[in-house]
Amino acid sequence: MSTPSTQKTPLLEVRDLSVTYAGGAQAVRGVNLTVDAGRKLGIAGESGCGKSTLALALLRLLPARTKVTGEILLNGEDVLAMKWGQVRAVRWAGASIVFQGAMHSLNAVHRIGDQIAEPILLHKKATPAGAKKKAGELLEHVGLPAARANAYPHELSGGQRQRVMIAMALACDPDLIIADEPTTALDVMIQAQILRLIEQLVSQQDLGLIMISHDLAVLSDTCDRLAVMYAGRVVEEGPSAAVFENAQHPYSKALSGAFPRIGDRSSRFAPRGLPGDPPDPSALPAGCTFHPRCPVALDSCTTQDQELRDAGAARRAACVLVEPGAADASLRQGAEEARSTS
């Protein structure tokens, strides 16, 4: 007699997702990701690595002529296969997004209370009076007085506007929130407040969270797991602390090394970085797309691309120097040292 399966369906499952813009730019290439309810996934990478394109693809917010293939399963249903009416029903109610740059995302000529109430009314979750009341409650939920609902965006500070964006994302009680650079242009004190707020909301409401940033340090402090993207692909993924402190892919290592450690004099006086820029997505190099910038590239890297492979406990990395099944980085570190001294 078989035992009933207790495995839960992931809140979000992305399978082999690829995005190609009109003109041939391959912005996302074969990405696979999973997010469970109550869990936080960070996506890191430089500008131009495909992070924001991935976020927009999840809710079908890309330009009409963009080619999108693969599967985006939200609560088991493929967003890419939905009819237009189903997609509209999913936006805000199933999944919502916090865009970077709140001043550019809010309508300058409408009061913020009306903007928060708009998705509530569109999804018929309340009467106009009820939507107005909930807008005030949401503002209080994110640390702003309900009376600020009558304010215009220009009357709020940067941190307050970002709180409004988070309140708007919560308006229809979504299961998943996608936060695309939610702390861009905020000072460090306000940034810390916004990050703590997001963490609390995810924990209290059992939401799934995808947080996108170029700042690996912020993501490692906020998220459970990290996925590092380069040239449209995930090149490393694993537990946040492990990826940040002991990266297995040379690109992840460079991102991590760009942030000085408190108390580490060597990183303070000689911060590490990475020369060059990510490749043009319409003219990707052959082989491993990172090899032109990689400090430990082998000859084979110029012709052979690398798939994600086992890099330890719950970790994967797409690098020829990562041995399948390796429990630690000792073998890879030895290879790197040999290459750098040759």
Side-chain angles (χ1 to χ4, degrees), residues 268-337:
R268 177 184 175 188
F269 291 105
R272 293 168 290 171
L274 187 65
D277 298 296
D280 184 337
S282 61
L284 297 172
C288 173
T289 51
F290 184 61
H291 86 262
R293 303 174 69 192
C294 183
V296 293
L298 305 177
D299 291 340
S300 61
C301 298
T302 62
T303 57
Q304 299 176 12
D305 203 356
Q306 297 298 317
E307 300 294 330
L308 287 168
R309 62 180 73 185
D310 182 12
R315 300 184 65 179
R316 297 190 300 165
C319 180
V320 69
L321 296 180
V322 174
E323 286 295 313
D328 55 50
S330 58
L331 182 60
R332 179 179 175 280
Q333 183 177 352
E336 286 190 2
E337 291 175 351

Side-chain angles (χ1 to χ4, degrees), residues 127-181:
T127 62
K132 182 177 180 180
K133 179 181 178 182
K134 185 169 183 179
E137 292 172 349
L138 286 166
L139 286 174
E140 291 182 339
H141 198 44
V142 298
L144 291 174
R148 299 300 279 164
N150 291 319
Y152 289 96
H154 72 272
E155 297 177 304
L156 304 177
S157 69
Q160 290 174 329
R161 288 194 293 265
Q162 200 63 54
R163 289 173 186 268
V164 171
M165 290 297 298
I166 295 171
M168 191 181 300
L170 295 170
C172 294
D173 303 313
D175 299 316
L176 174 70
I177 290 181
I178 304 162
D180 187 4
E181 300 275 8

Side-chain angles (χ1 to χ4, degrees), residues 55-143:
L56 295 174
L58 297 181
L59 291 176
R60 284 175 56 178
L61 294 170
L62 294 165
R65 295 179 60 199
T66 306
K67 181 181 179 182
V68 183
T69 60
E71 293 180 296
I72 301 171
L73 303 178
L74 182 63
N75 286 319
E77 294 190 50
D78 190 357
V79 175
L80 297 180
M82 290 179 180
K83 295 181 179 179
W84 179 241
Q86 292 175 292
V87 174
R88 289 195 66 185
V90 163
R91 291 175 182 168
W92 299 106
S96 60
I97 186 166
V98 179
F99 295 103
Q100 57 179 307
M103 192 61 191
H104 305 295
S105 301
L106 294 170
N107 192 318
V109 298
H110 289 284
R111 300 180 191 276
I112 62 170
D114 294 335
Q115 297 185 58
I116 296 172
E118 182 179 10
I120 302 174
L121 294 171
L122 287 174
H123 286 272
K124 300 180 180 179
K125 288 183 173 285
T127 62
K132 182 177 180 180
K133 179 181 178 182
K134 185 169 183 179
E137 292 172 349
L138 286 166
L139 286 174
E140 291 182 339
H141 198 44
V142 298

